[in-house]
């Protein structure tokens, strides 16, 4: 059996970069423009005044999106996913099976007042993001 990491040399690293960028930018739009108010409500911060974000709130999500994109590329190449149909199936499996489920699991704690709303907003972002990533990675394969 071939080691899964043997595919590292096969990966189009340009496609990883081009898949990462819209995933990360989608997050900026998702949480600041598209779902800003419901997201604040999910965190119990709907009455908070806007604050300047510390660098960790930009760099952290960027690094996480990059790691998710790289892991997805490794899996897409190792699993030999080469059609849009299979990219969508991959995105559904990884999106729902890992990203959404983990996001909801993290949300279910006493520090998040509306965990299901938080899970819906954040999980949907990751689901759409992984779909974009998967389609770009397969397209540029």
């Amino acid at each position: 059996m071939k080691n899964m990491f043997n595919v590292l040399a096969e990966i189009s690293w340009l496609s990883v970069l081009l898949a990462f960028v819209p995933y990360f930018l989608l997050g900026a739009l998702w949480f600041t423009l598209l779902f800003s108010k419901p997201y604040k409500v999910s965190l119990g911060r709907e009455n908070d005044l806007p604050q300047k974000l510390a660098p960790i709130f930009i760099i952290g999500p960027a690094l996480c999106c990059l790691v998710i994109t790289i892991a997805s590329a490794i899996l897409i190449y190792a699993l030999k996913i080469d059609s849009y149909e299979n990219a969508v199936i991959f995105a559904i499996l990884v999106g729902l099976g890992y990203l959404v489920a983990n996001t909801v699991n993290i949300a279910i704690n006493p520090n998040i007042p509306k965990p299901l709303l938080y899970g819906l907003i954040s999980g949907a972002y990751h689901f759409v993001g992984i779909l974009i990533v998967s389609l770009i990675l397969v397209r540029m394969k």
Side-chain angles (χ1 to χ4, degrees):
M1 176 182 242
K2 184 173 152 179
N3 181 327
M4 185 181 313
F5 293 106
N6 287 345
V7 300
L8 292 176
E10 299 172 28
I11 292 173
S12 164
W13 292 99
L14 177 61
S15 72
V16 171
L17 178 63
L18 292 176
F20 154 75
V21 170
Y23 185 18
F24 174 65
L25 294 178
L26 177 65
L29 292 172
W30 198 272
F31 295 105
T32 61
L33 293 176
L34 300 173
F35 299 100
S36 176
K37 288 182 184 181
Y39 182 65
K40 287 178 184 176
V41 168
S42 75
L43 295 170
R45 297 176 177 231
E46 59 270 22
N47 297 319
D48 287 4
L49 296 174
Q51 300 176 23
K52 184 179 178 193
L53 293 177
I56 193 170
F57 296 111
I58 298 167
I59 295 168
L63 289 174
C64 290
C65 287
L66 182 59
V67 168
I68 291 167
T69 303
I70 292 169
S72 297
I74 292 168
L75 290 171
I76 284 171
Y77 278 77
L79 295 170
K80 301 187 183 321
I81 295 171
D82 57 3
S83 71
Y84 289 133
E85 179 183 358
N86 285 331
V88 170
I89 292 168
F90 174 82
I92 291 169
L93 180 63
V94 170
L96 294 177
Y98 291 108
L99 298 173
V100 173
N102 194 49
T103 299
V104 172
N105 188 47
I106 290 167
I108 300 172
N109 73 64
N111 296 316
I112 298 182
K114 298 191 184 310
L116 296 181
L117 179 60
Y118 177 91
L120 177 65
I121 294 166
S122 295
Y125 156 66
H126 285 293
F127 182 74
V128 172
I130 198 65
L131 180 59
I132 292 167
V133 163
S134 300
L135 292 170
I136 291 171
L137 291 173
V138 167
R139 171 67 176 106
M140 295 187 68
K141 207 169 168 197

